[in-house]
Amino acid sequence: MLQADFPVLSALIFFPLLAAIALVFVRKDETIRMVTLAAGVVECLLLLPLLGFDLSTADFQFVERHVWIAAWNIQYYLGIDGISVLMIVLTVLLLPLCVLCSWSYIGRRVKEFHICLLLMTTACVGVFCALDFVLFYIFWEAMLVPMFLLIAVWGGARRRYASIKFFLYTLAGSTLLLVAIVAFFIAGGTFSIPDLMSQNFGLPFQQLTFLAMALAFAVKVPMFPFHTWLPAAHVEAPTAGSVLLASILLKMGTYGFLRFCIPITPAASEFFAPLMIVLAVISIIYGSFVAIGQQDMKKLIAYSSVAHMGFVTLGIFVFTFQGIEGAIMHMVNHGIITGAMFMLVGLLYERSHSREIEDNLGLSRHLPIYMGFLLLFSLAAFGFPGTNGFFSKLLVLIGVFEASYFLGVLFIIGLLLGLAYLMRLLLAVGWGTPSKGAGWQDINAREWAYLLPLLAFVFYLGLAPGRALNIMGPSIENLLHNFEQHRQVSDNASEDILRTWRQPPPALIDPLAKDSPNAALLPRTATLVVDHAVTPRTN
Amino acid sequence: MLNFTPSLIIPELYMALLLVALFVQTVTDSIKDRTDWLAYAALGGVVVAALSMSQSGMMFYDSYQIDGLSQFFKLVIALGLAICVLNALRNTTLGKTPRADYFFFMFMSAFGLMLLSSTVELFTIYISLELASYSLYILLPLRNENPRAVEGAIKYALFGAVATAIGLFGVSYIIAGQHTTYIHELATMNWSFAEQPMALIGLGLFALAFLYKLALFPFHFWAPDVYQGASNETAAFAATLPKVGAIVVLVRLMGLDPGVEVKIVLAVFATLSMTLGNILALRQTDLKRLLAYSSVAHAGFVVMGLVAGGAYGLAAASYYALVYVVMNLTIFWVITRLADDGRDIQLHDLKGMHHSTPLLAFVLAVAAFGLVGLPPTGGFTGKLFLLNAAWGEGFYLLVIIAAINTAIAIFYYLNMVRHAYTMDQATPSVVPSTVIGASVALALALGVLYLGLMPQGLFDLLLQASGALLL
Amino acid sequence: MMPFTLLQTILVPALVALVILLFRYRIGKKAGWVAVSGLIYTTGLLLAALVHIYHGGPVIERYTILSSPEITIHLVADGLSIAVALICNLLCLALCTYSIKYIDHRIEILYPDLDEKGQINYFTSFFYLLLPFPVGFMGVSFSADLVMMYFFLEVLTLFLFFLMAYFGYQDRVKVAVMCFIWGVFSALFFLGGVVIIYSQVGSFQMDQIHLLSGHPLAFWVILLVLIGFFAKLAIVPLHVWMPWVHAEHPTCIAGLLAVYANIAAYIIVRMLVLPLWDDFQVFGPPIMIFAVITMVYGSLLTLAQTDMKRIPACSTISQSAYSMLGIGALTAASIEGGLFFFLSHIMGKTVFFSACGLVVYTTHIRDINRLGGLATKMPITALLFLSGGMMLAGIPPFSSFAAEVVMFAGIFERGDNLGLIIGIIGLVAILLTISYAVHFTRVIFFGPLPEHLAQDDHVRDPSWIMVAPLVVIVLTSVALGLYPSLIMNLFEPVISGYLANM
């Protein structure tokens, strides 16, 4: 086995970067693909140490902590808990699959393409590992550039418009995040996320920072009304770009809610939860309705992503154990399913050179295996029992029902709408007339190779979700426990608002001290501690 | 006392020596155009400046101070000069102007800036500033008798003269109010508006001369014409080093800790500067003009650090100055490489760069994203320091506007990258690549990234220097 | 008893389906027999379990797959579920056997231009799509866990969609979608109810539902689930999908469709009526009223049909309502009778539809106005058709008669005016059923034989493979009709016993 102090997370983050640099010196297209694929496989192997993840604790694990910029108390601080580990696994596993699905799709500027893929992996894994706010922001923004290039260079006809829109939206959203980060630093004296979680800021301060952060995350998710960049970006992006966008980038928004909004600004999260819930519900209903009307398959899936991410946000902001559990599961599941859906559309595009539904009608007779895959993934997307989509949606549904019955009913309507657009897609592509598929080749070996692992995950997580839930369990319990403790700001804390707003720059703070001095100044609230286990209610 | 200790001012002496050599060259017809040795000489200047980093002391009747801040800025100026010289050696637009003359004035200007970073007495500061400025006035129009160059230079000279005159006028107020021109004595004085209104106004007027150099709104109107008019190589010089000189003086002046009135006026100027700079830049298609407006915006950012004040704020401003210089030198380096014949580069000239010069395209992208302030470039780290400092002092609105400006700015910087990476030219242009061209470009790009990822050592240095300033 | 008996009854058909799918070219035309043998095996297992239940208590098996929220595969076979499971399995077995011949004919009509490989493809696909039905029925019958039940309901919906889309008639895909959407619609309402239960009780277990009793939310749970299942049972006004579906589906699965729709009655009893007895009282009268309306409406609709295939469709609407009538009356006897009728009626439906199928299979004619006098050429078919009709109408000696007796006894037992009026209207509806059963028998099998049929040599009784399974069902029904205690003894301890303990 590896030594205990092997920097697992750093290796995961920087190996793709090294591979990208190495790729600069490779010349032949075919070799580039092979090298990237090999790098992807090695990156997957680097995941193996994560098997040592301790299921019994909610603490951050595999922690790496070094002083980076002492003057500002910025650290190179990595660590993972039950919330992030699944996202990392998903990110890393998608890399080789993305290489495979672009094998024949990308014909020009192959080298740059694969470099972008590798850089994306570095940035995404970094986002999920970072426990220092500045480090997080660096990875968060760093992924914009390769994604921009993926869309702008290898995209479709309106790629320039789509890529700029993507970049502007996401960057504009995250500028205020930076302000929030700075504000936290001045008020809390540290950039370290775990340390900030234990502090208790005044309510007005929490509200403003929550809004600043939520804007950044909501654009990324994307929640209505910030979603308009998504369909454009998805439609124009190449397959691998769409896959990364849908499977990983969107998750960062909801991950941000879980990692930052709820633990650091619990009172504000509770205050704004109704707003977030309303937006999430609108996302679900609106996204589904728009998806129903789409002619372009990618657009359809893109709008369905808006709806799906609405489910996730909804699950998060009802603040119940099952809701959050389901939300995280659905983040992973949606990553798998939608990734696969985009791959399927991509490989259809390679055959028909069109993403319009009406150019791909009636394939079930000519491409039965393809239709089989499309069907299974659509069912998973709908949340058919036995597939992964079912469990996560069920968990969210339970969480939502615990919070409000009205929401639960809306949720079910959302599910039905999901059925409508998926059926429409399936029917036209499967049984529509006139049949267009004659002479097209069914799934080939390479395509099997990247669809099968995803299908395996669909069923693994659908039939045995226990392990995944065990992984995230302690972390969610901890999250909710802290939330319950801090959801009400004590009176002292609100009087302290001026102090938390105006702290002199902490020149003499020991950067590695566990508790920053401000934490001692701010009295902790010890409000009611609710045991979150579900107990049967009898009459 | 005179306190003349030559060992303390080796960089200045070295520069003086070079100036003498250049002067000899300008008056000797046979070697007028043989200036290749200057590349080595300028690099030597960097080495000398680096070696004398740790010096400190006072000279010339306490009007000349060698401290951490001055030595740091001297190094920056030497480094910038070296790059500008490397750049300008292949200047193709000098026409009949002897090369030695051109470089004589460039070095003279840099020499003035070096003096500026050490001077701590108002009149000495003024004289150093004029030394740097007059050389620049001569340098700017040297471009194949291009009328726009002349127009820009005249504008710069006229308004510059007025600005410095106002500065001098301000000095008279300060003397009238505080009876001294030594900064370390001024530092002990009372600067509140209630008790010393005249002195405070005088300080404001004096600072105005430097804000003019910095191209802060509303003193920015020279920048677009000068940038566009001057030849690419000269613009690279004019866009970077004089600003460093201005910043060092402003850092010293803000070390006086003037009243909140000055800070608020500056904060308003900073806000307007970054907003207007960015908005005006959106519509530009000439790359140098675009960079001029972007420099107006960046001036606003630097002033944000000055407004915050304190050791952290001043250090952040200084750090940002360094980052700004490196980023601008990088992007100007790319521009001069692309403009083989010395033409003004338009946005559409960037098309197809990913194909014709992949390395320069990459360097351009790094510089552009650095100017936006995207991590992991120096632009981000510098901006982060500025925001931290300003927020810590309670300038919340300023910080929020600065952050929003990033979102506005992204459009035109991204536009550059977009042209370079996603568009192709009908007839691919051929950009000759040289070893020096490529390696310096790469070094500069790595420098931008280095400043972003490893700011630790430099920032500590600046923190100590500005901390010493406040004592 | 074998270990994992109940799990096997669910898994074996699924595995057989998988085997057929994977080795379809190797197995070829033998796929039907493979499927049949799998079902014979599970029928054997069910009989063993039945014997065990007669002599001992219920069979309980429990397999944990998820701890939070607690989701286990928890299978319980008591008198109620084993009876439902056994009859459903028997019907699946019979229809599977029947389809071996029938589906060949369907494929010839639907996909005439196929080569041999393509034909085998479709032929085998029918069986691996059919086998999930026993899986779903067993699952629904035995699940003691609501999530599992939801899962199996969705499995049924999904595979019904495939069977319709591949083997139906003209508008098959459109109607299959319609059917699927209605199915999912009802399942989602069911799920909504389930989740409310979980949110209050903290468990998905069926035996925990009673904790909700008396809670104000119980009303909403019942309402949601009932709306869902009314759509599945095609109770007016949620019946619109049923005639369409019946018109388009291949006849050989008509029996399955009847079970698919009516198994909801079983779930209602299991999940709502018994645990939430007090809360359910409010719903009794409305259910009865809706049920009666549906019965009358369905019967009248049936009488007006001339299309061979729409007859059973409309009759299903009216028949499903019978069980609901019994359940709505809310007495032990009426519920038992209702469920018994559900079992009898799905047997009758199977025989009746399949006999219709036999006629279409041999004559290729769907319009009954062009048929007549077939009894002389197809005596056995005529007999089967007649007995099917009698099983539906509830004429002795068939089991449905016994069921109706018990059920109406239960309804009148209520003793109030509503029960009386509704009971009487119900009896009138039965008369209508008898009249249409006799009417169609007369039109199709008696009277003059049209010229084109008389000269057609193909018009004769089909092979024993198609007839024998139907005969077995008829005999089963007769046996249950003569000895209703066979079933009632199974129901008694579960329903009456439960209610007595309240």
Side-chain angles (χ1 to χ4, degrees):
Chain A
M1 264 320 275
L2 293 152
Q3 298 161 350
D5 55 352
F6 178 76
V8 180
L9 299 181
S10 293
L12 270 175
I13 294 174
F14 292 110
F15 176 74
L17 184 65
L18 291 179
I21 293 171
L23 219 53
V24 173
F25 304 104
V26 182
R27 288 205 179 278
K28 269 177 67 183
D29 285 357
E30 213 54 20
T31 331
I32 288 170
R33 291 194 177 104
M34 292 307 291
V35 169
T36 321
L37 185 61
V41 174
V42 173
E43 174 83 353
C44 289
L45 293 179
L46 284 174
L47 279 179
L48 287 178
L50 294 189
L51 288 176
F53 188 84
D54 186 355
L55 296 184
S56 60
T57 170
D59 293 341
F60 288 100
Q61 304 180 34
F62 300 98
V63 170
E64 293 169 40
R65 196 170 193 184
H66 309 285
V67 180
W68 183 16
I69 306 172
W72 294 105
N73 200 1
I74 298 175
Q75 302 161 39
Y76 178 78
Y77 187 8
L78 302 176
I80 51 176
D81 67 352
I83 297 173
S84 49
V85 65
L86 290 172
M87 299 313 302
I88 292 170
V89 173
L90 177 68
T91 312
V92 171
L93 288 182
L94 275 177
L95 174 63
L97 303 185
C98 280
V99 177
L100 279 174
C101 81
S102 319
W103 203 273
S104 56
Y105 191 93
I106 300 298
R108 65 199 181 89
R109 298 171 72 179
V110 176
K111 185 192 284 186
E112 289 105 314
F113 179 83
H114 288 92
I115 290 177
C116 281
L117 276 187
L118 289 166
L119 291 182
M120 275 300 287
T121 310
T122 289
C124 294
V125 177
V127 162
F128 292 122
C129 290
L131 287 185
D132 182 278
F133 237 138
V134 173
L135 193 63
F136 168 82
Y137 191 79
I138 287 177
F139 286 123
W140 172 269
E141 295 285 37
M143 104 200 122
L144 289 183
V145 179
M147 194 66 225
F148 165 76
L149 290 177
L150 279 180
I151 301 172
V153 176
W154 296 274
R158 296 175 69 221
R159 58 179 186 271
R160 299 204 179 93
Y161 161 78
S163 58
I164 289 266
K165 193 170 183 183
F166 158 77
F167 205 113
L168 287 183
Y169 260 75
T170 41
L171 189 100
S174 41
T175 47
L176 287 181
L177 175 64
L178 183 60
V179 177
I181 292 175
V182 168
F184 280 130
F185 169 65
I186 301 300
T190 174
F191 283 115
S192 149
I193 294 163
D195 292 347
L196 284 173
M197 284 180 192
S198 62
Q199 305 207 7
N200 199 10
F201 299 109
L203 186 61
F205 180 77
Q206 284 199 20
Q207 285 170 341
L208 290 174
T209 44
F210 177 90
L211 284 180
M213 292 194 290
L215 178 68
F217 300 141
V219 169
K220 205 82 148 199
V221 166
M223 286 170 81
F224 180 90
F226 307 110
H227 64 282
T228 55
W229 64 270
L230 183 76
H234 266 317
V235 170
E236 301 306 329
T239 304
S242 290
V243 171
L244 288 178
L245 200 58
S247 304
I248 302 168
L249 255 73
L250 305 194
K251 308 302 169 304
M252 292 180 179
T254 41
Y255 173 78
F257 286 136
L258 284 170
R259 173 65 83 234
F260 304 109
C261 289
I262 295 181
I264 301 181
T265 59
S269 301
E270 191 172 31
F271 182 82
F272 285 112
L275 174 72
M276 303 305 284
I277 287 174
V278 167
L279 287 182
V281 169
I282 295 177
S283 298
I284 295 174
I285 307 282
Y286 173 82
S288 306
F289 266 118
V290 180
I292 291 174
Q294 295 307 314
Q295 287 303 322
D296 185 314
M297 291 160 85
K298 269 190 149 179
K299 240 182 180 157
L300 190 149
I301 303 171
Y303 277 109
S304 85
S305 293
V306 175
H308 276 275
M309 295 315 285
F311 288 127
V312 176
T313 324
L314 190 58
I316 291 174
F317 279 96
V318 294
F319 306 121
T320 55
F321 186 80
Q322 273 86 12
I324 293 179
E325 204 175 37
I328 299 175
M329 272 305 273
H330 202 61
M331 279 155 73
V332 176
N333 292 339
H334 176 253
I336 294 169
I337 297 164
T338 310
M341 291 293 271
F342 276 119
M343 288 176 182
L344 284 169
V345 174
L347 64 85
L348 198 54
Y349 181 76
E350 284 186 62
R351 287 160 175 77
S352 69
H353 304 289
S354 166
R355 286 185 301 259
E356 297 292 312
I357 291 177
E358 61 184 33
D359 293 329
N360 297 297
L361 296 173
L363 303 184
S364 64
R365 281 181 73 173
H366 305 289
L367 308 174
I369 302 174
Y370 175 84
M371 274 314 292
F373 274 113
L374 187 65
L375 179 88
L376 286 171
F377 285 118
S378 304
L379 287 177
F382 159 63
F384 200 81
T387 61
N388 55 355
F390 171 67
F391 264 107
S392 44
K393 281 191 179 171
L394 177 72
L395 286 168
V396 175
L397 184 60
I398 291 170
V400 170
F401 257 108
E402 255 178 69
S404 151
Y405 296 100
F406 177 66
L407 282 180
V409 172
L410 286 178
F411 190 101
I412 289 185
I413 293 173
L415 286 181
L416 267 177
L417 290 173
L419 180 69
Y421 58 73
L422 286 169
M423 283 309 285
R424 186 172 152 265
L425 174 71
L426 271 185
L427 279 180
V429 175
W431 283 278
T433 49
S435 181
K436 297 271 176 68
W440 296 355
Q441 195 208 353
D442 210 340
I443 305 287
N444 64 31
R446 178 175 54 82
E447 288 154 355
W448 271 103
Y450 62 76
L451 290 174
L452 262 191
L454 291 172
L455 195 63
F457 271 103
V458 164
F459 285 112
Y460 173 66
L461 291 176
L463 297 172
R467 189 168 166 77
L469 294 180
N470 286 343
I471 289 175
M472 61 180 84
S475 298
I476 299 175
E477 259 168 40
N478 184 40
L479 179 78
L480 281 172
H481 179 74
N482 288 337
F483 175 72
E484 291 293 342
Q485 274 197 324
H486 292 296
R487 64 198 297 174
Q488 265 143 11
V489 185
S490 76
D491 295 340
N492 283 337
S494 27
E495 279 166 22
D496 252 356
I497 179 71
L498 280 179
R499 185 134 46 122
T500 52
W501 273 75
R502 292 210 59 176
Q503 284 287 329
L508 297 169
I509 291 170
D510 176 11
L512 281 180
K514 266 282 178 202
D515 297 313
S516 65
N518 301 31
L521 295 175
L522 300 168
R524 303 266 175 86
T525 43
T527 49
L528 69 166
V529 181
V530 178
D531 180 14
H532 218 75
V534 181
T535 46
R537 262 162 255 184
T538 52
N539 295 292
Chain B
M1 283 194 301
L2 188 60
N3 272 351
F4 185 70
T5 324
S7 63
L8 286 181
I9 50 165
I10 291 177
E12 288 89 330
L13 292 176
Y14 179 80
M15 284 295 285
L17 202 68
L18 287 183
L19 283 171
V20 171
L22 270 169
F23 183 71
V24 171
Q25 224 183 338
T26 52
V27 296
T28 315
D29 275 346
S30 56
I31 50 173
K32 254 185 182 167
D33 284 327
R34 297 177 57 187
T35 48
D36 287 349
W37 62 279
L38 278 172
Y40 306 102
L43 287 173
V46 177
V47 174
V48 170
L51 288 178
S52 54
M53 272 300 274
S54 54
Q55 304 283 14
S56 70
M58 300 290 278
M59 288 171 80
F60 305 125
Y61 305 99
D62 286 355
S63 68
Y64 200 80
Q65 185 176 6
I66 317 293
D67 59 2
L69 199 68
S70 71
Q71 298 311 93
F72 172 78
F73 276 102
K74 276 175 205 164
L75 179 62
V76 174
I77 290 164
L79 200 66
L81 179 68
I83 290 165
C84 287
V85 168
L86 280 177
N87 216 347
L89 279 176
R90 56 192 288 285
N91 192 340
T92 51
T93 56
L94 285 180
K96 290 184 209 132
T97 317
R99 297 191 154 258
D101 293 13
Y102 179 78
F103 283 109
F104 177 75
F105 290 113
M106 187 185 274
F107 274 69
M108 180 65 92
S109 182
F111 180 62
L113 295 171
M114 276 191 173
L115 295 183
L116 201 56
S117 56
S118 269
T119 46
V120 288
E121 193 269 340
L122 297 182
F123 285 112
T124 331
I125 291 176
Y126 181 75
I127 292 168
S128 310
L129 175 69
E130 291 297 43
L131 186 61
S133 301
Y134 277 80
S135 319
L136 203 57
Y137 296 155
I138 301 167
L139 204 57
L140 284 173
L142 295 181
R143 190 189 192 191
N144 268 357
E145 286 140 30
N146 185 327
R148 300 198 69 152
V150 178
E151 181 199 330
I154 290 176
K155 230 180 210 176
Y156 187 55
L158 277 180
F159 287 111
V162 173
T164 41
I166 292 174
L168 199 56
F169 183 57
V171 175
S172 67
Y173 272 34
I174 296 176
I175 295 174
Q178 309 282 27
H179 309 292
T180 176
T181 55
Y182 285 94
I183 286 184
H184 59 92
E185 285 178 20
L186 288 173
T188 59
M189 303 288 184
N190 185 350
W191 285 99
S192 79
F193 190 73
E195 294 174 32
Q196 289 287 357
M198 197 189 227
L200 200 61
I201 291 172
L203 186 68
L205 294 177
F206 186 64
L208 194 146
F210 295 92
L211 295 178
Y212 173 82
K213 287 276 158 201
L214 202 57
L216 187 83
F217 174 89
F219 318 111
H220 66 283
F221 38 78
W222 59 272
D225 291 333
V226 167
Y227 275 46
Q228 194 181 11
S231 70
N232 296 333
E233 290 79 3
T234 318
F237 180 82
T240 50
L241 295 191
K243 300 204 167 164
V244 176
I247 288 165
V248 65
V249 175
L250 286 170
V251 166
R252 284 192 195 281
L253 289 182
M254 293 313 284
L256 300 179
D257 198 17
V260 73
E261 295 84 2
V262 174
K263 285 193 172 183
I264 287 180
V265 170
L266 280 181
V268 170
F269 281 170
T271 313
L272 290 172
S273 191
M274 50 183 121
T275 313
L276 281 175
N278 277 329
I279 289 176
L280 289 173
L282 289 176
R283 289 206 51 199
Q284 306 305 323
T285 55
D286 185 288
L287 214 51
K288 278 191 295 170
R289 216 176 164 79
L290 187 152
L291 286 172
Y293 283 111
S294 108
S295 79
V296 175
H298 281 97
F301 276 102
V302 173
V303 171
M304 193 161 83
L306 298 176
V307 165
Y312 278 83
L314 298 181
S318 313
Y319 190 77
Y320 198 74
L322 168 66
V323 173
Y324 171 76
V325 166
V326 175
M327 291 187 303
N328 258 296
L329 285 174
T330 313
I331 206 156
F332 270 108
W333 186 272
V334 175
I335 289 175
T336 50
R337 294 299 118 179
L338 283 180
D340 221 18
D341 48 359
R343 67 181 188 281
D344 288 341
I345 291 285
Q346 307 294 317
L347 260 181
H348 59 77
D349 289 323
L350 299 177
K351 284 184 184 176
M353 272 179 76
H354 71 89
H355 189 71
S356 52
T357 58
L359 181 75
L360 284 185
F362 169 72
V363 173
L364 176 81
V366 170
F369 287 127
L371 286 166
V372 186
L374 277 194
T377 60
F380 166 71
T381 315
K383 215 167 260 185
L384 177 72
F385 294 166
L386 287 173
L387 296 185
N388 277 338
W391 190 276
E393 288 303 314
F395 292 95
Y396 306 128
L397 203 58
L398 185 58
V399 170
I400 291 172
I401 291 173
I404 291 173
N405 262 293
T406 308
I408 303 174
I410 184 66
F411 182 79
Y412 58 89
Y413 292 119
L414 189 65
N415 213 4
M416 288 157 59
V417 178
R418 197 169 65 112
H419 277 86
Y421 268 94
T422 72
M423 299 190 181
D424 289 304
Q425 248 169 346
T427 51
S429 60
V430 183
V431 179
S433 72
T434 57
V435 179
I436 292 182
S439 50
V440 174
L442 195 61
L444 282 168
L446 291 179
V448 173
L449 292 174
Y450 176 84
L451 289 174
L453 293 172
M454 303 289 163
Q456 171 79 63
L458 279 172
F459 192 76
D460 276 350
L461 195 79
L462 285 170
L463 208 53
Q464 279 167 11
S466 51
L469 211 59
L470 291 171
L471 287 177
Chain C
M1 270 226 345
M2 281 172 75
F4 314 125
T5 306
L6 301 182
L7 191 64
Q8 276 193 60
T9 59
I10 295 172
L11 286 185
V12 167
L15 287 177
V16 172
L18 197 64
V19 167
I20 296 178
L21 169 65
L22 291 178
F23 303 103
R24 55 188 182 278
Y25 297 120
R26 192 114 15 108
I27 295 174
K29 294 269 180 188
K30 288 197 278 297
W33 292 111
V34 174
V36 167
S37 53
L39 289 177
I40 289 176
Y41 175 68
T42 54
T43 312
L45 288 176
L46 286 171
L47 285 171
L50 178 72
V51 172
H52 184 266
I53 289 167
Y54 259 120
H55 294 294
V59 184
I60 297 173
E61 293 174 16
R62 188 188 278 274
Y63 314 91
T64 305
I65 47 173
L66 183 58
S67 53
S68 170
E70 193 183 345
I71 294 177
T72 48
I73 301 185
H74 186 189
L75 304 173
V76 175
D78 57 9
L80 190 56
S81 48
I82 194 73
V84 173
L86 189 57
I87 301 285
C88 291
N89 209 37
L90 200 64
L91 293 182
C92 290
L93 175 58
L95 286 171
C96 191
T97 321
Y98 171 88
S99 304
I100 293 175
K101 282 279 174 200
Y102 184 84
I103 205 65
D104 254 347
H105 147 85
R106 238 6 262 138
I107 291 172
E108 268 170 36
I109 294 175
L110 278 172
Y111 308 103
D113 52 347
L114 281 180
D115 55 0
E116 197 182 347
K117 198 175 163 188
Q119 277 189 0
I120 287 181
N121 218 336
Y122 274 106
F123 182 80
T124 51
S125 75
F126 178 81
F127 289 99
Y128 65 71
L129 292 175
L130 184 74
L131 280 170
F133 277 86
V135 173
F137 294 145
M138 296 307 106
V140 171
S141 315
F142 293 137
S143 290
D145 182 297
L146 293 169
V147 171
M148 293 309 293
M149 195 172 262
Y150 173 73
F151 170 70
F152 288 114
L153 277 176
E154 291 280 44
V155 167
L156 289 173
T157 315
L158 179 66
F159 284 91
L160 182 62
F161 166 77
F162 283 122
L163 278 183
M164 304 254 307
Y166 279 116
F167 299 101
Y169 283 81
Q170 279 315 310
D171 265 343
R172 55 183 178 277
V173 178
K174 203 186 281 177
V175 174
V177 174
M178 183 172 164
C179 173
F180 184 69
I181 289 178
W182 276 90
V184 172
F185 168 78
S186 73
L188 279 180
F189 271 82
F190 171 73
L191 187 65
V194 169
V195 170
I196 295 183
I197 292 174
Y198 181 83
S199 69
Q200 293 305 315
V201 173
S203 164
F204 285 120
Q205 297 301 312
M206 203 88 94
D207 52 11
Q208 303 288 317
I209 298 176
H210 67 87
L211 294 177
L212 194 67
S213 179
H215 196 285
L217 278 171
F219 176 82
W220 294 102
V221 171
I222 297 173
L223 187 68
L224 277 178
V225 176
L226 273 185
I227 291 175
F229 283 152
F230 271 24
K232 193 150 267 193
L233 283 164
I235 302 283
V236 175
L238 300 174
H239 66 286
V240 280
W241 62 282
M242 184 65 104
W244 287 98
V245 171
H246 269 293
E248 299 298 337
H249 72 335
T251 314
C252 52
I253 62 159
L256 294 180
L257 191 56
V259 187
Y260 164 77
N262 285 322
I263 203 155
Y266 163 76
I267 303 177
I268 288 176
V269 172
R270 256 270 123 93
M271 177 182 163
L272 302 179
V273 178
L274 296 185
L276 303 175
W277 179 259
D278 293 331
D279 304 286
F280 202 82
Q281 297 299 328
V282 191
F283 290 91
I287 289 180
M288 287 169 76
I289 292 168
F290 276 118
V292 155
I293 294 172
T294 311
M295 283 162 72
V296 176
Y297 171 82
S299 304
L300 292 175
L301 204 62
T302 317
L303 268 174
Q305 301 302 319
T306 57
D307 184 335
M308 194 75 178
K309 282 186 53 65
R310 282 182 86 97
I311 297 171
C314 300
S315 87
T316 299
I317 295 177
S318 93
Q319 303 284 320
S320 311
Y322 278 54
S323 329
M324 282 318 291
L325 182 63
I327 292 169
L330 284 174
T331 60
S334 74
I335 294 172
E336 283 166 16
L339 285 178
F340 190 12
F341 188 82
F342 150 58
L343 295 181
S344 319
H345 138 75
I346 57 178
M347 287 192 285
K349 200 56 67 75
T350 305
V351 173
F352 192 62
F353 291 1
S354 305
C356 290
L358 289 180
V359 173
V360 177
Y361 172 72
T362 41
T363 62
H364 301 281
I365 294 171
R366 276 175 68 173
D367 186 352
I368 56 167
N369 292 331
R370 297 177 58 209
L371 293 170
L374 284 176
T376 50
K377 296 198 77 168
M378 305 169 66
I380 302 178
T381 311
L383 205 57
L384 283 173
F385 191 92
L386 189 62
S387 29
M390 283 157 68
M391 283 159 83
L392 286 183
I395 292 171
F398 295 104
S399 60
S400 44
F401 171 70
E404 278 176 10
V405 169
V406 178
M407 188 172 89
F408 279 99
I411 293 173
F412 289 124
E413 200 184 295
R414 276 176 69 94
D416 56 355
N417 288 332
L418 182 75
L420 197 66
I421 295 166
I422 286 179
I424 290 168
I425 301 175
L427 287 174
V428 172
I430 290 182
L431 282 179
L432 286 174
T433 312
I434 296 175
S435 66
Y436 70 69
V438 174
H439 168 70
F440 291 125
T441 316
R442 187 179 60 79
V443 172
I444 298 171
F445 290 97
F446 298 97
L449 188 67
E451 197 63 12
H452 60 276
L453 291 177
Q455 282 162 14
D456 195 341
D457 285 342
H458 293 290
V459 180
R460 56 188 156 81
D461 277 323
S463 84
W464 64 271
I465 297 178
M466 298 183 80
V467 175
L470 303 182
V471 173
V472 170
I473 293 177
V474 171
L475 293 179
T476 313
S477 176
V478 170
L480 291 178
L482 296 177
Y483 301 99
S485 54
L486 281 177
I487 288 281
M488 296 313 285
N489 284 349
L490 285 172
F491 286 178
E492 199 81 24
V494 182
I495 295 173
S496 307
Y498 192 95
L499 293 182
N501 285 339
M502 290 277 295

